[in-house]
Amino acid sequence: MLIIAIFLPANDTLFYDGKCSVCSSRAVSLLRRSDGRLLLRDIHSEQPIPNEPGKLLKLANLHLFTVEGHWLTGLDAALRAYSHTRWRWLCTPLRWRGLHAIGAWAYSLAELRRYRRLYSCPGCAPALDDR
C-alpha cells in the first residue's frame, strides 16, 4: 500500500501587512495572546508558496491558511485567528448567520479603505482590478 503524505503546517498561518503599523501591532498582540497554534507571516518579507494567493489579494484582504489546508479571508480569517485566544467566545455572535453577513460586509469595507489609504499612489501597488 502506497501512502502519500501531504505536509501541512502544524498551525494556522495568518498573513498580515507588515507595512501597515495598525496591522503589525494587531498581529503581534494577537500572537502574544494566542494559544501557540497561530503563526504570522508578513506578506512583504516572505517568498510566495506555490498555489498561494497573490500578494495583491493578500494585501487587499486578510488571509489565513488553516491547519486543515483551507484558505479563509476577511472576517472568517479574523474569527479563526481570534479562536486561538481566550477571548474566542466574544466572536461567537459574529458566526450567527445574520450578524455574520453584516460583519463580513463591514469588514470588507474596512479592508478596502485600509488598502486604498496605504496603496493609493500608482507606484505603491497596482490597482485592485489588476489582481
Side-chain angles (χ1 to χ4, degrees), residues 103-114:
W105 173 77
Y107 199 88
S108 67
L109 285 180
E111 286 179 320
L112 180 61
R113 183 173 180 212
R114 182 201 67 83

Side-chain angles (χ1 to χ4, degrees), residues 33-92:
R33 290 169 172 78
S34 78
D35 57 9
R37 295 181 302 147
L38 182 66
L39 298 175
L40 295 180
R41 281 189 54 201
D42 181 355
I43 297 165
H44 300 285
S45 66
E46 297 287 335
Q47 293 297 323
I49 298 170
N51 299 323
E52 181 176 294
K55 184 176 181 178
L56 274 179
L57 283 174
K58 290 187 289 185
L59 285 173
N61 298 305
L62 184 66
H63 278 69
L64 185 135
F65 187 68
T66 68
V67 70
E68 296 87 11
H70 302 209
W71 285 98
L72 300 176
T73 61
L75 181 62
D76 293 325
L79 291 174
R80 177 75 177 234
Y82 277 97
S83 74
H84 291 287
T85 69
R86 64 178 171 220
W87 295 295
R88 61 184 154 264
W89 60 273
L90 289 171
C91 297
T92 301

